Amino acid sequence: MKKILSNLKPYWPFILASLIFIFCQAMSQLMLPSMLADIVNTGIVNTDTGYILAVGGKMLFVALGAVGAAIAASYCSSRAAMGFGKSLRESIFEKVESFSLNEFNKIGTASLITRTTNDVTQLQMVAMIFFRMVVMSPIMAIGAIIMAVSTAPSLSFVFWIVVPIIAGVIVVLSKFSLPLFRAMQLKIDTVNRVMRENLTGVRVIRAFNRVEHEKKRFNAANIDLTNVAIRVNRLMAIMMPLIMLIFNVTTVAIVWYGSLKINAAIMEVGDLLAFIQYAMEIMFSTMMLSMMFIMIPRAAASVERIKEVLNMEPEIVDPENPVIPKEIKGILEFDDVTFKYPDAEEPALSNISFKALPGRTTAIIGATGSGKSTISNLIMRFYDVTSGKITIDGIDIRDIPQKVLRSWIGYVPQKSVLFTGTIAENIRYGKEDATDEEVRHAAEIAQASEFINGMKDGFDTMIAEGGLNVSGGQKQRICIARAIVKKPKIYMFDDSFSALDFKTDAKLRVALSKETKNSTMIIVAQRVATVMNADQIIVLDEGRIAGIGKHKELYENCETYRNIVLSQLSEEEIA
Ligand SMILES: Nc1ncnc2c1ncn2[C@@H]1O[C@H](COP(=O)(O)OP(=O)(O)OP(=O)(O)O)[C@@H](O)[C@H]1O
């Protein structure tokens, strides 16, 4: 909670100003009924027009003051609440940025989006009303009780009956509403998740004619959310008429009892009028407070969900005593590495040891699911090894700050990811201050220049959201250029040539080897043609190393490798 509330800190001047204005508004509003009583008791009873005009003028002045204070309070509380929301969203975003892949998996992307948007909006709304109502209502309620009791002490017993009844109604209803509000946020998560899957998977959905199925899935989630919302609103629907009934019965009781007093000449008409107005203020304030009780549980559900994100400790953290060498050679070594994904039964990698040297190409090949991408995940420190260690120039990568480690590596993921922006901007993602020449050169090596220059706007061509306006192979080459422009010490290509035709794949590797003479190259691939010229090939089989060596040796000595080769190459190609 402290972490959430700390986001209010920068806005305390607005909160303070809003409280002062609210106080002024409450005071002005409290003065009005007693002035009205004065007009009736003195002005009207004595038919003193001058008095009526004088006090009426004062009333107008006070009422205008109340309006001004209300506007100012509203402005200040809105500024504070909106600022709070902005700052909270920033905090969540920053926290999420520090998550390792495991934390993303735990909460889920759709839920993280809802928590950053919808849940924060809930808190923002509550904060705005909170500043106004929680301060205004008690001041008004207490002030009105004091004024009412001093105006007509004999009628004040009414409050001892009415206020507890209103409070009781609210407490009971809020007990039912909390679980419903919690459920509602979860349902919003589900709607978002289904929507997200539908938008990203639209091509597959259409290709497999599953539009109807997806409609049903979305409808189910949507109806689920609607049902919970209806139940919540049913509670609200009960509450408002109940409170209005209490309001009206109370007014009737006051008028009836008051008129008896007036008849008996114990009370003046003006005092009864003032008393009714104070009674209204008291009941209205109690109702507003009760609305807070309804909103607070809803906000509490959102607070819980935001707290879960803010309190989640990322598993991958920077070392306390980091080692940051000025210069590295790029010798990457796996030393008896075993790794099990969180929640997985079996390790994805077992006892992996190898050394990748600068100026050499190390290729990793194996069947699907053999653990190739897991190796790249570990090198990037998206996950930490379960046992053993990975070193660069002899330094355990857990002793190197993540930022520094990742600055040494040019990573091309298995699934190409591009961002909305121009092609040049996407390539510059690898090196922010890369010159146009550097960008062009990187594209040249990545065999991307030709198709980029063929586009109407060349390097300034806009990439649509998710890179939908370029082909799979083009996307891959832009991603490769992004890594090349960085001029890293270590290249990590995770099955990054899979969408390229054989000719482009070969040309790219030749151009790359010229450019990266002193860099350590790690190429994960499924295709034998991509790896067969590597200086060393690591053959993975169900998370274990089945063989390490050059193409020829492995073909002769490693059965797993031979089987992969035989399944892909013809006799002449092997020879
Ligand atoms: N996040 C994860 N949580 C649990 N298990 C995982 C996770 N990611 C991968 N695995 C498992 O780890 C094993 C190795 O997966 P990995 O992605 O490294 O294989 P791969 O050789 O790269 O396969 P492919 O060639 O199909 O990409 C597989 O059995 C897979 O099911």
Side-chain angles (χ1 to χ4, degrees):
M1 196 64 196
K2 229 166 106 189
K3 280 186 190 158
I4 294 179
L5 289 182
S6 67
N7 291 290
L8 274 174
K9 227 177 180 177
Y11 305 100
W12 70 265
F14 284 107
I15 300 174
L16 189 70
S18 141
L19 298 186
I20 293 171
F21 285 124
I22 289 167
F23 184 77
C24 296
Q25 187 196 349
M27 286 303 142
S28 330
Q29 264 173 244
L30 285 172
M31 282 162 78
L32 291 174
S34 75
M35 289 167 119
L36 179 73
D38 260 3
I39 290 184
V40 175
N41 293 346
T42 316
I44 296 181
V45 170
N46 302 330
T47 50
D48 183 348
T49 318
Y51 189 83
I52 295 172
L53 285 177
V55 180
K58 269 192 217 161
M59 269 183 88
L60 195 65
F61 183 72
V62 173
L64 281 176
V67 170
I71 293 171
S74 202
Y75 171 77
C76 292
S77 59
S78 306
R79 277 293 302 263
M82 295 305 134
F84 166 64
K86 169 186 155 276
S87 170
L88 189 56
R89 272 193 295 272
E90 268 168 14
S91 304
I92 300 175
F93 188 77
E94 246 169 59
K95 187 76 192 188
V96 170
E97 287 285 291
S98 74
F99 280 179
S100 70
L101 299 188
N102 191 32
E103 283 91 48
F104 278 106
N105 291 347
K106 271 189 203 156
I107 298 187
T109 323
S111 184
L112 277 173
I113 294 174
T114 327
R115 287 173 205 223
T116 320
T117 50
N118 189 290
D119 284 299
V120 172
T121 309
Q122 293 295 340
L123 290 200
Q124 219 170 10
M125 260 167 54
V126 171
M128 195 157 75
I129 299 173
F130 191 86
F131 299 138
R132 293 189 51 68
M133 291 308 161
V134 153
V135 179
M136 178 83 169
S137 301
I139 297 178
M140 285 304 286
I142 295 168
I145 287 177
I146 295 171
M147 296 297 280
V149 171
S150 64
T151 312
S154 56
L155 285 181
S156 55
F157 72 93
V158 177
F159 303 129
W160 307 129
I161 303 167
V162 176
V163 171
I165 293 179
I166 296 180
V169 168
I170 289 141
V171 169
V172 171
L173 288 181
S174 64
K175 273 224 153 63
F176 290 104
S177 60
L178 182 57
L180 286 180
F181 283 128
R182 271 212 189 105
M184 200 148 139
Q185 296 307 106
L186 286 179
K187 308 285 172 197
I188 294 175
D189 273 358
T190 316
V191 168
N192 278 357
R193 196 179 57 240
V194 176
M195 191 73 196
R196 195 167 167 273
E197 275 181 10
N198 266 274
L199 293 178
T200 49
V202 67
R203 295 175 194 211
V204 180
I205 293 167
R206 295 203 180 150
F208 284 86
N209 282 330
R210 300 290 280 177
V211 175
E212 281 310 311
H213 167 81
E214 288 302 321
K215 261 189 199 162
K216 274 188 204 145
R217 203 157 78 98
F218 184 77
N219 266 347
N222 202 8
I223 289 170
D224 219 17
L225 172 65
T226 313
N227 286 343
V228 180
I230 288 173
R231 281 167 66 197
V232 168
N233 282 303
R234 232 182 254 154
L235 276 180
M236 300 287 151
I238 298 171
M239 195 185 81
M240 285 315 278
L242 247 179
I243 290 181
M244 287 318 288
L245 181 72
I246 299 171
F247 265 42
N248 293 333
V249 170
T250 311
T251 314
V252 171
I254 293 171
V255 171
W256 177 72
Y257 197 69
S259 47
L260 292 182
K261 298 260 172 199
I262 292 170
N263 246 355
I266 312 171
M267 196 177 183
E268 292 191 74
V269 178
D271 289 344
L272 178 64
L273 284 179
F275 190 88
I276 291 174
Q277 285 210 7
Y278 285 128
M280 280 294 164
E281 295 283 13
I282 292 163
M283 289 189 287
F284 188 73
S285 306
T286 318
M287 190 184 81
M288 278 306 167
L289 273 176
S290 69
M291 292 304 284
M292 281 307 299
F293 274 99
I294 299 286
M295 292 198 74
I296 284 171
R298 179 151 202 198
S302 292
V303 164
E304 281 305 315
R305 287 158 54 86
I306 293 173
K307 246 167 62 181
E308 199 188 341
V309 179
L310 292 181
N311 289 342
M312 194 168 259
E313 284 309 323
E315 275 173 19
I316 310 284
V317 284
D318 279 339
E320 269 179 31
N321 304 308
V323 183
I324 312 173
K326 277 214 178 81
E327 190 74 41
I328 60 150
K329 293 198 194 85
I331 306 167
L332 175 84
E333 189 169 0
F334 270 55
D335 182 2
D336 199 21
V337 168
T338 293
F339 173 72
K340 193 162 87 68
Y341 280 101
D343 306 326
E345 305 247 311
E346 296 290 321
L349 292 175
S350 305
N351 311 102
I352 304 290
S353 295
F354 68 87
K355 203 172 192 174
L357 296 174
R360 301 283 160 84
T361 300
T362 299
I364 302 169
I365 195 165
T368 57
S370 55
K372 303 183 299 291
S373 293
T374 307
I375 287 190
S376 72
N377 281 341
L378 294 181
I379 294 173
M380 295 309 294
R381 242 193 126 202
F382 294 144
Y383 294 95
D384 270 342
V385 295
T386 311
S387 69
K389 64 178 178 185
I390 302 170
T391 60
I392 290 180
D393 288 7
I395 310 165
D396 191 322
I397 59 168
R398 286 168 294 191
D399 293 334
I400 304 166
Q402 294 167 71
K403 239 181 154 173
V404 175
L405 169 75
R406 288 169 192 156
S407 73
W408 296 336
I409 307 173
Y411 172 65
V412 186
Q414 189 172 27
K415 191 168 168 257
S416 307
V417 176
L418 294 180
F419 299 95
T420 315
T422 63
I423 292 181
E425 279 165 3
N426 266 285
I427 296 178
R428 270 204 189 91
Y429 212 82
K431 186 182 175 209
E432 238 175 295
D433 55 357
T435 60
D436 286 350
E437 189 42 47
E438 284 175 305
V439 170
R440 272 168 210 285
H441 182 64
E444 190 85 32
I445 296 166
Q447 308 301 306
S449 305
E450 210 177 302
F451 83 81
I452 296 174
N453 289 328
M455 288 172 150
K456 199 170 97 274
D457 296 322
F459 279 83
D460 293 327
T461 305
M462 280 302 282
I463 297 286
E465 191 184 325
L468 287 179
N469 57 344
V470 278
S471 78
Q474 290 171 341
K475 237 200 262 187
Q476 248 182 6
R477 278 177 278 170
I478 297 173
C479 290
I480 293 169
R482 180 171 65 195
I484 293 172
V485 81
K486 203 171 159 182
K487 294 202 171 78
K489 275 285 174 197
I490 300 169
Y491 280 93
M492 175 70 253
F493 295 100
D494 186 356
D495 211 359
S496 320
F497 308 128
S498 59
L500 308 182
D501 58 71
F502 281 85
K503 212 171 116 202
T504 314
D505 178 353
K507 267 167 75 182
L508 197 154
R509 275 180 292 111
V510 170
L512 203 58
S513 63
K514 280 187 200 148
E515 177 74 13
T516 59
K517 280 201 175 76
N518 297 319
S519 301
T520 309
M521 288 270 255
I522 299 172
I523 298 180
V524 166
Q526 301 246 20
R527 284 205 304 237
V528 174
T530 311
V531 305
M532 61 192 281
N533 295 322
D535 298 294
Q536 81 174 331
I537 303 168
I538 298 166
V539 186
L540 279 186
D541 186 17
E542 293 185 4
R544 292 179 182 275
I545 293 185
I548 297 187
K550 291 202 176 219
H551 170 71
K552 221 161 173 244
E553 308 159 26
L554 286 171
Y555 184 68
E556 280 160 16
N557 305 323
C558 176
E559 200 189 332
T560 316
Y561 187 70
R562 195 166 41 248
N563 287 340
I564 299 174
V565 175
L566 289 175
S567 68
Q568 292 184 19
L569 301 185
S570 63
E571 295 284 331
E572 305 91 77
E573 281 171 313
I574 296 165

